[in-house]
């Protein structure tokens, strides 16, 4: 069986290098390339791709958003992120959007090939640079968490509120709109029965969220 792979990256030389590096494999075929995040979904469907190698910094539409739209439109397509970003925010945003794997550019050919074969089989794959952090995050997520009345995303927003981030900063961190963050903050206030960010941040810190940063004053 041949695994049909689409490369989504805006750098022509990187796409060329990937295509050349995988060309001699009998079980992997590059069936297309996308240079713009807005075309990834249609390109993946048109080429019947089974795996999309997704860069995160894409023109037109960020790779996280492209991943979210692709997994909604074609859930059988496995997204394997291949990016220069190795920070936790990018990693977890991509995984929440539906990516099945995350590699940092610089991964060798064998790593990429193993990851392609793994994600198409339904496994979840992390590169060596980030595997420990990813596992620690998911182990922590499995433990009982405070504020069971809040959704996972609301807890995430509350954590960032407690760190002192503004709505705009939270939106940038989570790759969502300012309006989405405002809605989450309003829901948090209502569910926790608090009147402002300072009270919410205090409740969060009492529960062990947010460290010791100052609460932001933005409403």
């Amino acid at each position: 069986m041949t695994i049909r792979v689409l490369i989504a990256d805006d750098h022509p030389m990187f796409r060329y290098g990937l295509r050349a590096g995988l060309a001699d494999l009998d079980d992997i075929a590059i069936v297309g390339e996308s240079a713009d995040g807005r075309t990834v979904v249609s390109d993946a469907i048109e080429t019947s791709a089974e795996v999309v190698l997704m860069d995160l910094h894409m023109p037109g539409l960020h790779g996280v958003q492209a991943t979210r739209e692709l997994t909604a439109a074609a859930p059988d397509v496995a997204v394997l992120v291949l990016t220069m970003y190795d920070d936790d925010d990018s990693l977890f945003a991509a995984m929440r959007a539906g990516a099945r794997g995350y590699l940092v550019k610089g991964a060798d050919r064998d790593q990429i090939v193993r990851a392609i074969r793994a994600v198409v089989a339904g496994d979840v794959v992390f590169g060596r640079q980030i595997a420990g952090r990813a596992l620690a995050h998911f182990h922590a997520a499995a433990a009982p968490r405070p504020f069971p009345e809040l959704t996972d995303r609301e807890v995430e927003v509350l954590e960032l509120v407690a760190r002192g981030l503004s709505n705009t900063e939270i939106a940038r961190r989570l790759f969502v709109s300012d309006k989405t963050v405002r809605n989450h903050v309003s829901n948090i206030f209502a569910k926790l029965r608090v009147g402002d960010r300072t009270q919410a941040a205090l409740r969060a810190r009492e529960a062990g969220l947010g460290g010791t940063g100052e609460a932001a004053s933005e409403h």
Side-chain angles (χ1 to χ4, degrees), residues 47-115:
T47 60
S48 300
E50 296 169 275
V51 177
V52 172
L53 298 179
M54 180 80 75
D55 187 20
L56 292 186
H57 187 66
M58 297 273 285
L61 190 67
H62 192 279
V64 169
Q65 283 295 109
T67 296
R68 185 175 293 114
E69 292 188 7
L70 177 57
T71 55
D76 291 336
V77 179
V79 175
L80 173 59
V81 171
L82 185 55
T83 181
M84 63 182 290
Y85 299 110
D86 66 351
D87 61 287
D88 289 354
D89 292 335
S90 297
L91 166 64
F92 300 134
M95 301 309 290
R96 284 192 299 270
R100 295 188 200 168
Y102 197 105
L103 299 180
V104 176
K105 287 182 178 178
D108 60 35
R109 178 184 123 136
D110 288 345
Q111 282 182 277
I112 295 171
V113 170
R114 285 196 300 269

